[in-house]
Amino acid sequence: MKLLTHNMLTSHVKGVTKGYPLLIKATEVKVNEVEFNPQFVSRMIPKLEWSALVQAAEEDLPGELVADYETNEEFLKKVHRILLEVEVLEGCLQCPESGREFPISRGIPNMLLNEDEA
Amino acid sequence: MDPTEERNVKAFKRSKEEKKVIRKQIKASHTLLKHEGISTTPHPTESVVVANGGLGNGVSREELLSVLTEAEEVESLFMPPHKPYAFVTYRSVESARRALTQLNGQKLQSEENSITLYLSYVNSVTFEEEKSVPLPEGLVLVEEFVSPDEEAVLLAAIDWLSSNEDVTAQKSLKHRRVKHYGFEFRYDNNNVDKDKPLRAGLPDECLPVLERCVKSGLISIMPDQLTVNQYESGQGIPPHVDTHSAFEETIISLSLGAKTVMEFRHPDGRLVPVVLPGRSLLVMRGESRYLWTHGITPRKFDMVPACSPHSPASDLGTNRNLTLSKRGTRTSFTFRKIRHEPCCCAFPSTCDSQGAASAFSPSPSSPPSLPCCHADATRLEEEYVHRVYNAIASHFSSTRHSPWPSVCHFLSLLPAGSVLADVGCGNGKYLGVNPELITVGCDRSNALVQICVERGFQAFVSDALSVPLRTASCDACISIAVIHHFSTPERRLAAVRELTRILRPKGQALIYVWAFEQEYNKQRSKYLKEQIKEHRQNLSPINNTSDDLQEPHGKSQIHTSEHLEDKCRAVDSMQHISKGTNSKLSVHTNRTAFNTQDLLVPWHLKEGKKQGEEDSGENTKKDKKTSGNSCSPCRMSSKTRIDCNPGSSPSMSCGSDLDTSDATHGPHFKSMPSHDTTKTSNTILKAKPENGQVPVFHRYYHVFQQGELEQLCGQVAGVRVCRSYHDQGNWCVILEKD
């Protein structure tokens, strides 16, 4: 699971209102090499929940977006790495409100709910 | 350099090293707090957490202990399962202090990896003490049943080479090796041919062991059937219940060679892992024989209790004293007595003599009917959609490699950088079509999602009725051939509602469902057309060789109903297709017109490694036949991952559900006339089932009538149908959110 995907995922346990963002508890993380496409990255940024990304990334990201980030190649490279190159292979995602853990196995988050949680 | 200078330089270097270690140790404790909720403290205590020294990152108990005991004596060591850390308690604070000073930053060699350990003090060590899990009822494990000499004699008694080519095929497919004596166990129908005993009876070398079993009262009748299974590291056997009607109650299994972990599963979901040491005998009776499934997950390492005189080998229930055990080659001798009368056990749900159909796990003994409530619907879909897709994932994926042009067209029109969700993404066919999009896929089938991830796409497992994406977070979404698997109109509506929920205002959704009307505007769909072709060729019962044929190749006939009157007419003229009360779901005959909307569609599973190549061969032929512009909208860039050679698609997953090679324990089997297998004859190493019999799975579908999908979408507030059309046997709509 890449952090880009994590940025989109939310807890959907019944009754939970503040299920986003999910807390990442990673036991195995991999960093891949992904071709850097600055245009693609700068198009992604406005689609993201920036504060959730800052929280998820262990590296320092500015709390707020820098102005003119589209032309800031160093910034874009950092974002590229965090969003597309870091991958959580094993671990779980935890609902911030209910504490429910969704396992991540072989890079795949299993978001299935039980009968009583749906 | 003079000695003083040298000393100073050394000291400087040392302190630099020390600082580095401290920095990393702080970072490690940071991570422990952030991800594991473990608080470390700078104040010395008796308890220490060892980051990177855990079962979760491949460190065994023995390896860690040998490093720890080099420093100070350890009072207790707790290694939580699956975690990358461990807790150590020392006799005194001073002892812990010394240990920390000495061991912090220490390197540990585990397998080929060099691991650095970081130690920090913790205030308390908390671990959940789980209750010891009891063995399934009727299960007995007797350790040291045979001596090492006897073990050697038994292993030598098996002449693998004298077997037929099945064994060679098994080896080359990296499959466990199997050999039968007395009677042959057939994997195509999970039963024994009781009228045809094998020439080779049980080997004489087994007699002393069997006599010992009788003497100890473990069995009362001498077995007359033996199956020898040999597992290499990484091999296993899917969970199953031994066929009731084939064998008498008591089944004994002798484990030789390496130990392994066998997992017992109860229908209610309970899982009990049981360590089977080498030279131990497992006796299955009662529930453990008739009700619980047993299986061995294909793995290279098992989590087992660390050997100690106090913990019995079977005690995997508690979390204490666990370690990793590398698998080695294990050979099992399973002795059974052939049953000649029907089984009359107390477990009809798993009993084939008493009506149970599937060998997978307990299933309803009567054919399914249309559900009348949510719980029934969930059960029906679990049995006839989810389990099936998980079982056929690999074969299914190999027949789903050509993206449909109209879907590609929809994707190509989306602006670059759009967020797209593919709900029910299957094998990820559409996830890479437009590389300019930010795409995420989800599917109910873990096996299919795995294929997506193996292909490099982002996907997760979830239900389409509850998609874990935030409301209004997607620019577009697609749901291709998904909603027709929901068995009530309410659930189908709920699925459409979810799709619209995740869309942002003005976002669009594309939905495809299988159409009841396979012939539209006097044009038969490809699905039907293939029937005529096959009929001429074979004059044999119709079966699906590749469901891909329901997909368009080349020009597709898209008929749009843009005029309002047309739309209304379509809705009004919806036929009343007889349903009947409490209707049993009938099984559809592939390649024929539908005569009912709710039905079970057969899937004939093809097995063997070269499966994909065979299908692609057929496919490329078709591509050449049809017009040349077949996939041009789909080739957005050279980066597209959709290739028409599924032979390069990932090998069959090793999850226990997916062991679909010859020795699978599958559900109902149908015989195919032998000349149908000629299509598969060009595959070399295929493990061909006996007599050309092939497993058949049934998938539930609700096929849509003309106008029905539009009517369904019309019931959803805040969204309108902006396009609706028929595409090669499917009804399609494009929805736009207000």
Side-chain angles (χ1 to χ4, degrees):
Chain A
M1 180 204 69
K2 299 186 179 179
L3 292 188
L4 173 60
T5 307
H6 165 261
N7 199 263
M8 296 169 65
L9 287 172
T10 180
S11 166
H12 51 154
V13 175
K14 188 162 71 178
V16 162
T17 49
K18 292 190 178 68
Y20 181 89
L22 293 156
L23 275 88
I24 306 176
K25 292 176 153 194
T27 54
E28 198 186 321
V29 176
K30 193 170 71 150
V31 180
N32 309 303
E33 223 182 276
V34 176
E35 201 184 313
F36 173 60
N37 182 336
Q39 265 187 324
F40 189 63
V41 178
S42 58
R43 277 196 211 111
M44 264 199 299
I45 290 172
K47 309 279 180 176
L48 303 167
E49 266 298 315
W50 188 254
S51 53
L53 183 66
V54 175
Q55 201 180 325
E58 285 191 10
E59 321 206 351
D60 297 349
L61 275 178
E64 285 185 6
L65 278 172
V66 301
D68 298 329
Y69 61 78
E70 305 96 328
T71 48
N72 188 335
E73 176 144 322
E74 200 191 302
F75 175 75
L76 289 178
K77 274 209 170 119
K78 210 174 189 179
V79 174
H80 165 85
R81 186 177 181 275
I82 292 167
L83 279 178
L84 301 176
E85 293 190 329
V86 175
E87 211 180 333
V88 178
L89 293 180
E90 302 286 331
C92 68
L93 296 170
Q94 189 178 42
C95 170
E97 189 177 315
S98 67
R100 209 284 204 191
E101 289 186 350
F102 297 96
I104 302 175
S105 173
R106 292 160 84 163
I108 300 167
N110 187 332
M111 308 301 292
L112 283 177
L113 296 170
N114 303 322
E115 276 294 297
D116 50 331
E117 294 172 307
Chain B
M1 211 190 292
D2 74 37
T4 333
E5 235 180 282
E6 228 179 279
R7 264 202 308 276
N8 286 341
V9 168
K10 266 204 190 131
F12 175 71
K13 277 191 182 156
R14 227 199 346 251
S15 77
K16 222 178 147 194
E17 262 302 310
E18 280 167 358
K19 279 189 189 155
K20 186 178 174 194
V21 168
I22 290 167
R23 234 188 7 253
K24 292 220 166 165
Q25 179 214 327
I26 291 170
K27 189 161 185 219
S29 43
H30 227 46
T31 310
L32 283 171
L33 175 64
K34 198 169 176 193
H35 295 296
E36 306 287 339
I38 295 168
S39 310
T40 56
T41 168
H43 302 293
T45 66
E46 290 150 348
S47 310
V48 165
V49 64
V50 183
N52 295 337
L55 293 172
N57 61 307
V59 177
S60 74
R61 194 180 180 83
E62 291 79 16
E63 284 166 337
L64 186 61
L65 270 174
S66 76
V67 171
L68 292 173
T69 47
E70 273 171 31
E72 291 285 314
E73 202 181 314
V74 165
E75 183 171 86
S76 76
L77 169 63
F78 174 56
M79 298 185 82
H82 311 299
K83 298 290 187 188
Y85 54 83
F87 294 105
V88 188
T89 328
Y90 292 96
R91 292 255 157 80
S92 66
V93 177
E94 263 311 302
S95 179
R97 243 192 173 145
R98 286 193 295 264
L100 201 124
T101 317
Q102 190 173 338
L103 295 173
N104 202 12
Q106 177 97 311
K107 291 212 199 301
L108 178 151
Q109 201 68 26
S110 172
E111 293 289 303
E112 307 100 47
N113 305 321
S114 179
I115 292 170
T116 311
L117 305 172
Y118 296 105
L119 281 71
S120 306
Y121 301 110
V122 287
N123 276 320
S124 56
V125 178
T126 43
F127 50 84
E128 299 117 49
E129 175 89 55
E130 278 177 24
K131 283 184 272 121
S132 180
V133 179
L135 292 179
E137 186 268 312
L139 193 70
V140 172
L141 182 69
V142 187
E143 297 192 41
E144 310 263 349
F145 197 75
V146 293
S147 70
D149 286 339
E150 287 170 324
E151 175 184 49
V153 166
L154 286 164
L155 286 173
I158 309 303
D159 182 6
W160 291 104
L161 298 173
S162 79
S163 305
N164 49 26
E165 71 273 7
D166 268 353
V167 172
T168 339
Q170 285 159 1
K171 258 254 141 139
S172 53
L173 285 175
K174 294 206 192 307
H175 194 272
R176 72 181 199 279
R177 286 201 292 189
V178 180
K179 198 166 163 151
H180 303 284
Y181 297 84
F183 290 84
E184 173 134 28
F185 182 80
R186 292 170 51 161
Y187 294 94
D188 51 0
N189 63 356
N190 285 330
N191 217 313
V192 167
D193 217 330
K194 300 173 191 180
D195 305 316
K196 292 203 213 117
L198 291 170
R199 224 174 343 115
L202 272 56
D204 292 333
E205 291 90 339
C206 300
L207 275 175
V209 177
L210 292 174
E211 272 159 16
R212 191 176 302 157
C213 291
V214 175
K215 248 192 173 147
S216 4
L218 295 166
I219 52 173
S220 45
I221 321 163
M222 281 297 272
D224 54 8
Q225 197 271 340
L226 164 66
T227 297
V228 181
N229 280 291
Q230 191 171 74
Y231 305 80
E232 307 276 333
S233 169
Q235 294 175 343
I237 183 171
H240 62 281
V241 176
D242 283 22
T243 307
H244 292 209
S245 66
F247 309 108
E248 295 288 351
E249 176 169 8
T250 310
I251 294 175
I252 53 178
S253 189
L254 184 67
S255 297
L256 303 175
K259 74 170 153 218
T260 193
V261 172
M262 177 169 278
E263 286 163 340
F264 283 81
R265 286 176 174 84
H266 191 275
D268 66 14
R270 269 179 289 159
L271 188 142
V272 177
V274 179
V275 178
L276 303 178
R279 298 184 288 113
S280 70
L281 184 79
L282 187 71
V283 186
M284 296 195 292
R285 265 203 206 98
E287 269 194 28
S288 68
R289 183 286 185 241
Y290 284 127
L291 184 65
W292 294 68
T293 65
H294 56 273
I296 296 175
T297 307
R299 278 199 281 250
K300 300 212 166 140
F301 284 88
D302 289 308
M303 224 164 44
V304 298
C307 289
S308 94
H310 307 295
S311 60
S314 54
D315 183 13
L316 273 176
T318 59
N319 278 345
R320 311 208 76 179
N321 303 342
L322 293 176
T323 186
L324 292 176
S325 165
K326 193 171 185 186
R327 284 223 190 143
T329 304
R330 170 184 176 263
T331 309
S332 71
F333 280 56
T334 303
F335 298 95
R336 301 178 275 206
K337 172 80 188 72
I338 300 293
R339 187 192 285 267
H340 295 284
E341 304 293 329
C343 177
C344 52
C345 65
F347 309 95
S349 62
T350 43
C351 185
D352 61 317
S353 296
Q354 299 177 61
S358 169
F360 268 136
S361 55
S363 69
S365 48
S366 53
S369 42
L370 211 54
C372 49
C373 65
H374 169 73
D376 280 350
T378 313
R379 266 193 292 272
L380 178 78
E381 289 158 21
E382 173 63 37
E383 174 96 23
Y384 293 97
V385 179
H386 308 313
R387 282 214 195 135
V388 176
Y389 277 110
N390 274 330
I392 67 176
S394 195
H395 178 208
F396 178 80
S397 176
S398 68
T399 63
R400 294 297 188 270
H401 43 74
S402 316
W404 300 5
S406 336
V407 180
C408 292
H409 181 67
F410 175 86
L411 296 173
S412 69
L413 295 177
L414 299 172
S418 296
V419 175
L420 171 82
D422 184 347
V423 180
C425 60
N427 67 345
K429 190 163 83 162
Y430 295 107
L431 297 178
V433 163
N434 185 343
E436 304 284 301
L437 307 177
I438 300 164
T439 312
V440 73
C442 66
D443 200 277
R444 186 60 172 69
S445 162
N446 202 319
L448 287 172
V449 172
Q450 256 175 43
I451 292 174
C452 294
V453 169
E454 277 163 26
R455 287 182 166 175
F457 301 126
Q458 285 288 283
F460 54 90
V461 178
S462 85
D463 199 302
L465 296 181
S466 179
V467 180
L469 295 175
R470 286 174 299 131
T471 302
S473 58
C474 301
D475 295 300
C477 58
I478 60 174
S479 183
I480 311 299
V482 179
I483 296 180
H484 52 208
H485 282 310
F486 286 109
S487 53
T488 69
E490 294 78 23
R491 290 164 79 79
R492 295 189 279 271
L493 181 61
V496 178
R497 285 217 167 98
E498 266 299 89
L499 289 174
T500 59
R501 179 187 68 78
I502 61 178
L503 280 177
R504 58 137 172 94
K506 297 287 176 254
Q508 292 196 330
L510 175 66
I511 303 175
Y512 265 57
V513 293
W514 218 359
F516 175 80
E517 302 86 347
Q518 284 298 305
E519 193 173 319
Y520 186 73
N521 269 8
K522 304 218 163 64
Q523 270 272 339
R524 303 186 76 134
S525 66
K526 286 242 173 211
Y527 177 72
L528 288 182
K529 278 180 186 163
E530 283 309 308
Q531 182 233 38
I532 299 167
K533 214 173 70 170
E534 277 183 27
H535 212 73
R536 284 196 200 120
Q537 275 177 12
N538 295 330
L539 297 171
S540 62
I542 310 302
N543 50 68
N544 65 304
T545 49
S546 165
D547 262 29
D548 211 19
L549 295 173
Q550 77 169 276
E551 308 185 14
H553 298 288
K555 289 188 283 193
S556 53
Q557 303 287 323
I558 299 176
H559 304 272
T560 56
S561 55
E562 280 160 342
H563 301 291
L564 197 59
E565 306 97 78
D566 281 348
K567 277 194 192 143
C568 289
R569 218 184 302 145
V571 169
D572 288 343
S573 69
M574 273 214 293
Q575 304 155 271
H576 264 297
I577 294 151
S578 63
K579 281 187 177 123
T581 49
N582 201 22
S583 36
K584 295 277 183 209
L585 292 170
S586 53
V587 177
H588 173 65
T589 308
N590 274 327
R591 309 262 169 265
T592 62
F594 296 119
N595 52 26
T596 171
Q597 280 190 271
D598 295 279
L599 52 139
L600 300 172
V601 178
W603 177 279
H604 296 251
L605 184 71
K606 286 223 193 103
E607 304 160 278
K609 228 162 53 163
K610 304 282 180 171
Q611 179 51 29
E613 287 181 11
E614 174 223 311
D615 278 330
S616 81
E618 276 181 59
N619 235 47
T620 46
K621 258 192 282 173
K622 283 195 186 64
D623 280 343
K624 286 189 186 124
K625 265 198 285 182
T626 58
S627 64
N629 66 351
S630 56
C631 276
S632 44
C634 310
R635 303 259 191 264
M636 302 282 315
S637 77
S638 58
K639 287 190 215 152
T640 186
R641 285 185 182 87
I642 310 297
D643 56 83
C644 283
N645 181 16
S648 63
S649 70
S651 56
M652 288 193 210
S653 164
C654 61
S656 50
D657 278 341
L658 295 177
D659 188 351
T660 54
S661 45
D662 71 308
T664 193
H665 292 250
H668 359 266
F669 292 77
K670 256 196 202 172
S671 56
M672 268 162 56
S674 53
H675 50 259
D676 268 328
T677 59
T678 54
K679 285 197 174 157
T680 63
S681 62
N682 60 344
T683 61
I684 313 151
L685 292 171
K686 219 166 82 73
K688 252 182 263 185
E690 307 277 304
N691 302 339
Q693 296 199 340
V694 142
V696 178
F697 293 81
H698 289 142
R699 284 173 301 166
Y700 166 80
Y701 280 89
H702 169 87
V703 294
F704 281 67
Q705 283 192 72
Q706 181 166 14
E708 188 185 335
L709 181 60
E710 286 175 66
Q711 201 187 50
L712 185 72
C713 296
Q715 295 173 53
V716 179
V719 89
R720 67 177 185 94
V721 175
C722 49
R723 239 193 106 195
S724 120
Y725 57 94
H726 185 99
D727 183 11
Q728 274 299 343
N730 297 283
W731 288 116
C732 323
V733 293
I734 297 181
L735 303 178
E736 189 175 291
K737 188 161 173 178
D738 295 341

